[in-house]
Amino acid sequence: MDDPATPPARVPRPRAGTQARREEIVRAAARTFAAKGYRTGSLADVAEQVGITHAGVLHHFGSKEQLLVAVLQQRDDDGVRDLEGQHIPGGLELFRHLVRTVRANAQRPGIVQGYTVLVGESVTQGHPAREWVTRRFEVLRGEVADAVQEMGPHVPRDAALRAAQAVIGVMDGLQVQWLLEPDAVDLPDATAFAIEAVLAATLAGPQAPRPVGDVDA
């Protein structure tokens, strides 16, 4: 039984405003990376916008990579904020959502650049964003495969997952080409074309022409 004369131990609580400050930093980082690019935009630039020091930004996020992860997660959350259930839709609407997202990304090249750099570097062992990137791809593959099977219940799961891998791979590859030559690649149109091609082949099943798949190894 507790001694009534002894004051109860205080449970540490997050400082008031900590979450609000983190969100403020993330928004500032998004503006910085969008305007200057991920490599050029510095933590000092971010810190100046929110009235703290470079060390203050690191106190909240630990590294520039982790701050970029927070920016990308916020971008994903914002992308579904106005959707029913605040979740990526299913079926055909999922693919329309992907194209709308790409169209929005075409207006924020700095964020696309940061994402592309992060994904490329995350393949190295021990990278701080490796787990986040891996998990993001895992979830997205599942959601895209579910959408494929919602459109074509006859499509086997392995075929739906191959389609999901292809859609994600093409989208990321097109972003690289667009970042290097923005005038040579129409990002939204090329993305829509690639998605439609993958869906057409997947939904057609064994009847789809396979001029590449039939070539001897």
Side-chain angles (χ1 to χ4, degrees), residues 177-187:
Q177 295 182 58
W178 174 74
L179 287 168
L180 293 171
E181 293 186 278
D183 293 335
V185 178
D186 187 320
L187 190 58

Side-chain angles (χ1 to χ4, degrees), residues 77-98:
D77 292 344
D78 287 346
V80 298
R81 195 174 304 282
D82 296 330
L83 300 178
E84 183 178 354
Q86 295 188 350
H87 188 274
I88 191 168
L92 179 58
E93 190 56 34
L94 177 142
F95 299 103
R96 290 172 173 163
H97 171 74
L98 292 180

Side-chain angles (χ1 to χ4, degrees), residues 138-156:
E138 178 186 358
V139 171
L140 191 53
R141 284 195 301 268
E143 290 176 332
V144 174
D146 288 346
V148 169
Q149 290 189 296
E150 188 173 330
M151 294 176 64
H154 62 284
V155 176

Side-chain angles (χ1 to χ4, degrees), residues 44-70:
D45 294 327
V46 176
E48 183 178 3
Q49 292 184 55
V50 295
I52 61 176
T53 64
H54 176 281
V57 176
L58 290 177
H59 169 73
H60 285 282
F61 291 96
S63 69
K64 189 177 182 182
E65 290 86 357
Q66 292 294 356
L67 177 56
L68 176 60
V69 167

Side-chain angles (χ1 to χ4, degrees), residues 4 7 16 21 24 43 62 73 80 82 87 90-91 103 117 123 130 137 141 144 158 165 174 177 179 189 210 216:
R21 175 49 61 91
E24 187 181 9
L43 294 184
Q73 186 61 58
V80 298
D82 296 330
H87 188 274
R103 188 169 289 112
V117 169
V123 301
R130 183 185 180 100
F137 280 144
R141 284 195 301 268
V144 174
D158 61 341
Q165 294 161 10
L174 284 170
Q177 295 182 58
L179 287 168
D189 283 357
R210 299 190 62 202
D216 292 335

